[in-house]
Every structure is written in structure tokens, then in C-alpha cells.
Amino acid sequence: MKKTLKNIRHLSLAEIETFFVELGEKKFRAKQVYEWLWQKGALSFADMTNLSKDLRQLLGEQFTLPALTVDTTQYSEDGTIKSRFKTWDGHLVEGVLIPTTSRYTACVSSQIGCSLSCKFCATGYIDRKRNLEFDEIYDEVVLINQQSEKVHGKKLSNIVFMGMGEPLYNFDNVKAAMQIVMDGDGLALSKRRITLSTSGVVPMMARAGAEIGVNLAVSLHAVTKEIRDEIVPVNRKYDLESLLEACAAYPGANNARRITFEYVMLAGKNDSDDDARELVRLLKQYRLPAKVNLIPFNPWPGAPYACSDDARIRRQRRPRRAL
């Protein structure tokens, strides 16, 4: 029977040390391998050039290293880089590098497809195939960081979970990936530079704040039960009131670390003056330290909605007393 090899990145440093000691190798070799796995972005054992050829071959015989690979890359004039990554089992997942004058942000995915079926989101029409493993999520960050350094000469400064999937439905893998990102043996990125976006999986929000401690973004998109039930169906399970209560209780949220509310602008659906007033009222009612991100809807062929026009979006951005 053919031996099933274990993914080496699912071993702790202590377990890798034990492997080398049992081989009769020096213990420090484990640290070298660990650095290649989590700091230097090795995508194969052949990349580990400070190990002997025989040792690299042995690792390949004992373990797998199923790293993501870049399948397709698109470059925009503004410096944005959109990539499609391929997993070891042939699935495709997207990630984006978003550069600004002060930040270089990786927008990463947590699932292959999505199970939430938000009606304005193209990914919502793709069935969820599986969760991404923690090392696959980490690979997204590493590959986007490499793109940022190559194209812009800058390392990533921020990470946002706003790609494919609902992060709180893959909590354990997201947590494990972010712990390595934040660790000194990983990318050593501060939790204050990481934002997790959820559509409103209320029972997991407090746990995310307590165990990961990153910034919170909420895909709100509507301020009434009727409209949010339609465009964000998870609202039927976890309603607006319970969602906002969970936001108010989110660990670490304050005026310095405000919660971001994402609000996609859909013509005639959620963009009226009354919608704007109700949003302000709700934020005040729950005393939420908040900022609102108005997002122009990006339609695709067959999309059920249209984007609000520029004048309407500008009006929504005005102070509410002007309405």
C-alpha cells in the first residue's frame, strides 16, 4: 500500500525537531526548515537551498508541501494586482493586492466558493467546494507579498479578509493562518493591520475578537429586515438587531479601532435618503464606533441589480443633517 505523506506545514516546530533528531540530524535543521516554510515563502523542498540535496530529497520522500501556485494574474494601471491561485487539488481561488499611497493591502479568500449566497456578490453564486486550509490562506498572503515587493518595492502593510468565502465559517483555519502571520516566526504583522470581514455570523464574532483580536468589518448592505433578508440571506438566521448587538460587544472595538460597515450601493434597493438616515440612527442607537464604506456595485453579466449613480452615491456621503 502506498504511504500517505503528511503535509509538513501541519507539523509544529517541535514535531519537526523530533523528526530531525530521530534521523540523527542536528536540531537546528528544524529551525531552518521552519523559516523556509513560514518566513521565506518556500513553495517546494527544492527552494530550501541551505539544506543538502540529500536532505531535501529525504524531506520530499517523507512529507508533502502542497503550496498554492499562481494560475493567472491581471495588472491594473492603478497598481492593483488581481491573482487567481490554484490549490494542490485543482481548485481556483482569488486574491488581490490593493496599493495606495500609504498602504499595500492583501485581500484574501478563506473558502473556495461560498455558502452564503449574497445576491449582489458573484462569488455567492459559486457553490462552496471546501474550506481553505490554514497554510493555503497563509500562501495567499505570501504570494501577494511577493508581488508587492516585486512590482512596488514594498512589503504588505495590511491584510483584509474580504475575498471569497465567509471567514467565520472557516474560523479555525483563519485563526491558525493569522497566528502565523502575526508571529515573529511568520510575517510579524500586527493584529491592528488585519481586518476580518463577516456577513454577520453572530455566534462567532465574540470568539474572533477574543481569540484573534483583529479589526472587524461587517457586510451590512441594508438597514431593514426586508431588504437585508433578500440581499444578505444570513440575516434570516442572525437578524440585524443581534448583529448590531454583537458589534457593540466586539472585544477591542473603540474610537481608535472602529468597526467598518460595508455598504454596497444598489440602485433603488438600499440607497434612499431614508436608508441613510436609518443607518445613522442604528449606529447611534447601539453606540457603535463606526466608519461606513460605501461601495459602488460592480455588476456582472446577468446581475440582478444595478449600481447607484454617482450623484446618489455622493448624496449618501453627505452629512445626514444635509438630507
Side-chain angles (χ1 to χ4, degrees):
M1 181 181 293
K2 186 177 180 180
K3 179 181 178 181
T4 300
L5 302 182
K6 189 166 186 176
N7 182 348
I8 192 171
R9 289 191 296 184
H10 290 184
L11 300 182
S12 67
L13 175 58
E15 289 171 323
I16 299 174
E17 287 175 342
T18 297
F19 170 76
F20 278 109
V21 169
E22 290 177 351
L23 279 180
E25 287 282 346
K26 294 182 177 179
K27 191 175 180 180
F28 77 87
R29 294 293 183 197
K31 182 67 172 179
Q32 290 178 318
V33 170
Y34 201 77
E35 288 176 349
W36 278 111
L37 296 176
W38 302 116
Q39 286 185 339
K40 299 179 180 179
L43 300 179
S44 70
F45 295 115
D47 291 339
M48 301 179 182
T49 51
N50 59 352
L51 303 181
S52 70
K53 183 177 179 181
D54 288 344
L55 193 51
R56 282 178 276 167
Q57 182 176 338
L58 178 62
L59 287 171
E61 292 170 354
Q62 296 294 317
F63 302 104
T64 62
L65 180 48
L68 288 188
T69 55
V70 178
D71 181 68
T72 304
T73 305
Q74 297 177 336
Y75 299 87
S76 297
E77 291 182 359
D78 64 0
T80 298
I81 303 174
K82 183 176 182 180
S83 298
R84 187 171 66 184
F85 303 117
K86 181 178 286 187
T87 65
W88 65 270
D89 53 350
H91 292 298
L92 300 173
V93 65
E94 292 184 348
V96 183
L97 171 67
I98 306 169
T100 65
T101 55
S102 59
R103 296 182 178 183
Y104 293 84
T105 301
C107 178
V108 299
S109 299
S110 56
Q111 297 179 312
I112 300 167
C114 189
S115 57
L116 290 183
S117 302
C118 295
K119 295 299 182 287
F120 59 88
C121 178
T123 304
Y125 292 82
I126 303 173
D127 291 338
R128 186 184 69 83
K129 303 298 190 297
R130 67 171 175 85
N131 289 335
L132 287 172
E133 297 283 347
F134 73 90
D135 50 305
E136 293 174 316
I137 296 170
Y138 187 85
D139 277 348
E140 289 184 82
V141 177
V142 168
L143 289 169
I144 295 172
N145 186 51
Q146 290 173 354
Q147 292 172 340
S148 185
E149 289 184 307
K150 181 178 179 180
V151 175
H152 299 288
K154 298 288 187 179
K155 293 183 178 181
L156 288 178
S157 61
N158 297 78
I159 299 171
V160 294
F161 278 88
M162 297 181 184
M164 299 169 66
E166 166 55 60
L168 295 186
Y169 279 155
N170 188 18
F171 179 81
D172 290 338
N173 283 309
V174 168
K175 175 183 174 182
M178 290 304 96
Q179 285 176 329
I180 299 169
V181 165
M182 293 184 285
D183 192 83
D185 287 329
L187 297 183
L189 195 66
S190 168
K191 65 183 179 181
R192 293 180 178 272
R193 294 187 173 274
I194 302 171
T195 299
L196 186 150
S197 177
T198 178
S199 292
V201 184
V202 170
M204 298 300 297
M205 289 171 61
R207 188 177 171 194
E211 296 183 24
I212 310 178
V214 296
N215 299 316
L216 179 68
V218 175
S219 295
L220 189 65
H221 306 308
V223 292
T224 66
K225 172 177 170 52
E226 177 186 9
I227 301 303
R228 199 163 193 271
D229 279 356
E230 174 190 337
I231 64 177
V232 188
V234 74
N235 194 70
R236 301 168 193 165
K237 188 172 184 179
Y238 307 116
D239 63 22
L240 195 57
E241 179 179 305
S242 61
L243 172 59
L244 295 176
E245 288 174 350
C247 289
Y250 188 75
N254 55 50
N255 286 330
R257 297 183 65 194
R258 295 175 292 172
I259 296 172
T260 298
F261 288 92
E262 298 156 348
Y263 200 97
V264 66
M265 298 297 292
L266 304 175
K269 180 62 64 173
N270 65 352
D271 62 348
S272 70
D273 287 357
D274 285 344
D275 290 319
R277 292 190 184 96
E278 179 62 7
L279 175 56
V280 172
R281 188 193 70 79
L282 288 171
L283 296 179
K284 288 182 176 180
Q285 176 184 339
Y286 289 90
R287 299 181 179 179
L288 291 169
K291 58 182 177 181
V292 178
N293 183 21
L294 299 181
I295 306 170
F297 176 59
N298 184 21
W300 67 92
Y305 305 111
C307 183
S308 307
D309 61 38
D310 290 344
R312 170 47 55 182
I313 294 175
R314 286 195 299 270
R315 183 170 174 81
Q316 294 293 91
R317 287 177 175 151
R318 292 166 59 189
R320 294 283 68 82
R321 62 178 178 271
L323 289 175

